[in-house]
Amino acid sequence: MTSENRLFPESFSPDGKHLIYREESSVGTASDLHILTFGNETVSQPLIQSEFDEDYSMISPDGRYILYESNETGSTQILVRPFPNV
């Protein structure tokens, strides 16, 4: 992949079909989580985007949840949400 932003791979799904990566803008705006889906066609799309930082993601061993860090409340917290339908 190519991007003007910095990309950081973070977590593979247990079935190997998805890669979660963090995109960090070069202008200092918030970092967001994206999902790269492998198949006949490899597709990248936003997973969690907001004006806050989302990073350090990990998909649970059973592939049903994603954990990630966010500063949405003003302090850093670890959030757990269903995966892949975040």
Side-chain angles (χ1 to χ4, degrees):
M1 292 177 44
T2 59
S3 175
E4 60 187 43
N5 298 324
R6 298 186 317 172
L7 306 176
F8 300 90
E10 295 199 344
S11 182
F12 272 102
S13 61
D15 61 9
K17 293 181 181 178
H18 306 285
L19 169 67
I20 306 301
Y21 67 93
R22 181 177 80 231
E23 185 169 1
E24 203 172 87
S25 173
S26 57
V27 295
T29 59
S31 60
D32 294 311
L33 296 178
H34 296 260
I35 185 169
L36 189 62
T37 303
F38 303 101
N40 291 336
E41 211 177 296
T42 300
V43 177
S44 176
Q45 60 188 19
L47 184 65
I48 303 171
Q49 279 187 305
S50 74
E51 60 191 81
F52 306 102
D53 288 322
E54 294 91 22
D55 46 23
Y56 305 112
S57 64
M58 179 174 276
I59 299 171
S60 65
D62 65 5
R64 296 178 54 208
Y65 300 97
I66 183 169
L67 281 74
Y68 63 97
E69 187 177 280
S70 174
N71 65 354
E72 183 176 340
T73 64
S75 64
T76 302
Q77 294 183 324
I78 302 297
L79 302 173
V80 179
R81 296 178 73 182
F83 180 82
N85 301 320
V86 176

